[in-house]
Amino acid sequence: MNNKYTTIIGLEVHIEPNTNSKMFCSCPQDHFGKQANTQTCPICLGLPGALPFANSQAIEKTIKLGLALGSKISKKSIFYRKHYFYSDLPKSFQTSQKDNPFCVGGELLSKKIDHIHLEEDAGKLIHQVVDGKKVSLIDFNRSGCALIELVTKPVFNEIDEVLSFLRELQLIARYLNISNADMEKGTMRLEANISLSKDGQLPNYKVELKNINSFRFLEKALKAEIKRQSEALDKGLKLEQETRGYDETTQTTFSQRTKSGSDDYRYFPEADLPPIETSDEDIKRIQGSIPELPNEKRIRFKTQYNISKDFIEILVSDPSRASYFEEAAKFDNNYKLIANLMVNKKMDSEFREPAGLIKKIKEIETTEFATPNDVETAVSSVILENPDIVTSYKNGKGQVIGFLIGQAQKKLQGKANPKELNDILLKFLNK
Ligand SMILES: [Zn+2]
């Protein structure tokens, strides 16, 4: 890729929270794999006279995410009607937010967040052939489901930064238990806005990449789009505001919709929903329910257990494995061995309880390591064979200890438990 241009990327991330019911009615929120159109009611179908009511669980989860990311929480939040022709939303408007979203600002991995708002999802179009005819069917199970939308500032310059941000956000959503944020199940969905700049300033167009269904797909789509835009700029062409999709077979992006100006959504406040007020007590209570977040855990694991960065990353990426590790670490201080057996040998899936893993570790230690007796014999003969080295240790040359450990390990064919060998050697030297 050339570096004549600065890449500028902003993200819109949709997260379906794991609430019991939809955003404005009591139909189930979980629609994955359910028979089409079995989870609807007059409210989510937008039938005349139906009155929506806001789901407080979804609001709390949105605020929880905002607090975890350092957003400012709006004391008064308003829902708006966003008008547009949505073929998959029967009301012909979407209940969303505009001014006063629940969370304003915030930051993740030093990348600024614009805001986080709450809205309702649309239904799903299914394109099929029925009786030899191409038809579009519609499933309204997802229509009206709660959807948290996080919008970043246009602050990304590298694809890697985008991917790290999204992976961390996904992990935080899981730690907070607001969503599984699973791209395959559609509980996390992405859109990226991308433009190239000649002078580092934000240009007057952006291309919106839509329908991104995996991180790998996003990476490829961004690469293809950067290539397309820089080639166009090289030729002196003017780029325009549009929505594009990515075709994996040709590895190129294709135009889906050109936007001449900004869409006129004719937003106006949803009169059927009162403004939502959030008190200081609410904020304090939600703040109190936020667990230790991944990055805090990484830092603590490093200082508390001193295990390698790779092990920490793998353990922290799964909250249940992280707590399994900590349970096991209460029984045995050979943290590296515990982490190694979990990460490289997957022994945590073999033993459902950490106690089982520890029992196994004790077995390994006694069968695979030399006995304390053998270690003592080896250490005492090394000390007898190296009187000069022992003297220099006693004169303050602490670094010679490495040599003595090496000699003792050699005698034991490397089978000494390092910590035990170290302890026994020190005991002999300090006699
Ligand atoms: Zn409903």
Side-chain angles (χ1 to χ4, degrees), residues 22 25-27 39-45 143:
K22 291 188 183 181
C25 64
S26 48
C27 292
Q39 305 190 152
T40 61
C41 74
I43 296 173
C44 57
L45 288 177
S143 186

Side-chain angles (χ1 to χ4, degrees), residues 179-193:
S179 174
N180 249 335
D182 188 334
M183 306 246 329
E184 270 173 35
K185 290 186 177 172
T187 49
M188 179 165 173
R189 282 170 269 157
L190 311 171
E191 282 166 33
N193 291 313

